[in-house]
Amino acid sequence: MNPYFRQDASLHAFLTIESSGLWEGYKKTVSVFKPGSKLESAEENEGRMRWMQALDAYSLPVNQSAAISKVRAEVSVLEALLKNLAGSAERMISAADSYALAMQDFGQQLRPGDGSSARNALVLARASEPIRLVLGALGDTFAQWSSVSTCFPTILERQLVGPLRNELNIARELRRMFARRDALALTIDKHRRALIKYDAERRAFEEGNRVDRVLK
């Protein structure tokens, strides 16, 4: 088993407890992890321990703005790359669909009465028995090949396009998160400037004995 899950008691319980009632009861006994707290050793796993070790050893960069700008640039590149890959994968699915249909049509043309055109059926009917046997065997081969190829689009969708779309959505959400951070920073700066202006006006009025003019 993956070392990140080998010591995970919750995963082990999920895989071994068959009764839904016992599973619901077990879930109520599991401690909820909170920053700064320690779980029992039975509830620890490799992934959590490494993550906490990374957090303990991590120090904030001196120039946080530069670090954020670097991450933002990497997210932008990653989003563009994932978008291109997802588009290419979707075109691959379309091509796989066309390939499967063409394969099916090709096989049918070799088997009279099996979806072949009327004209082609007449041609096959006039062929000699040895030729029909060869074409029939070839038709069987392509029928099996076509049956396999029809699964390709579904496999590509589940194993390639789906994960790519998921990663693309994550990259887009990161970009939107940075946009929200920028908007929040502008709002904070706006209020900070307003507060500085207010303090300056208050000091000016107080020094001129015009306390009554101080903004409320």
Side-chain angles (χ1 to χ4, degrees):
M1 180 181 288
N2 189 310
Y4 286 90
F5 299 112
R6 186 178 298 123
Q7 302 300 326
D8 194 316
S10 295
L11 177 61
H12 183 268
F14 176 76
L15 296 175
T16 56
I17 296 177
E18 298 181 0
S19 169
S20 59
L22 292 177
W23 170 245
E24 292 299 324
Y26 173 81
K27 289 194 294 184
K28 296 178 181 179
T29 66
V30 177
S31 301
V32 177
F33 178 76
K34 297 180 181 179
S37 65
K38 291 185 177 179
L39 297 178
E40 296 296 329
S41 59
E43 286 301 321
E44 292 181 353
N45 61 57
E46 186 73 13
R48 179 185 293 135
M49 288 188 291
R50 293 200 180 195
W51 174 243
M52 296 308 300
Q53 289 172 0
L55 290 180
D56 291 339
Y58 181 77
S59 58
L60 291 175
V62 177
N63 190 339
Q64 297 183 23
S65 297
I68 291 175
S69 297
K70 181 179 180 180
V71 174
R72 185 200 300 267
E74 292 178 350
V75 168
S76 178
V77 172
L78 181 61
E79 181 182 0
L81 177 61
L82 289 170
K83 182 178 180 181
N84 292 338
L85 289 175
S88 179
E90 289 172 354
R91 291 190 294 273
M92 192 186 305
I93 288 180
S94 178
D97 279 325
S98 299
Y99 174 80
L101 291 174
M103 184 70 66
Q104 182 181 20
D105 178 69
F106 187 88
Q108 288 174 345
Q109 300 309 314
L110 298 171
R111 301 160 65 93
D114 190 20
S116 62
S117 65
R119 181 178 179 181
N120 198 58
L122 292 174
V123 173
L124 291 173
R126 294 198 302 270
S128 64
E129 182 64 19
I131 291 179
R132 286 200 299 270
L133 289 175
V134 172
L135 294 179
L138 188 59
D140 291 338
T141 300
F142 271 89
Q144 296 175 12
W145 197 348
S146 173
S147 178
V148 173
S149 65
T150 55
C151 301
F152 290 168
T154 301
I155 294 174
L156 290 173
E157 174 67 31
R158 292 181 178 179
Q159 303 297 328
L160 182 61
V161 177
L164 283 174
R165 286 174 181 161
N166 183 59
E167 294 300 323
L168 177 58
N169 289 334
I170 292 175
R172 286 172 172 168
E173 183 55 34
L174 284 173
R175 173 173 52 80
R176 288 190 286 266
M177 181 187 69
F178 281 121
R180 292 192 295 269
R181 177 188 178 277
D182 291 342
L184 179 61
L186 289 174
T187 301
I188 293 175
D189 185 66
K190 178 181 178 181
H191 288 294
R192 183 182 63 81
R193 292 176 181 274
L195 183 60
I196 292 174
K197 180 180 179 182
Y198 170 78
D199 288 339
E201 292 178 347
R202 179 179 57 80
R203 286 194 299 270
F205 287 132
E206 288 176 348
E207 291 172 358
N209 294 323
R210 299 297 305 277
V211 180
D212 58 308
R213 297 290 302 277
V214 177
L215 297 176
K216 303 295 184 182

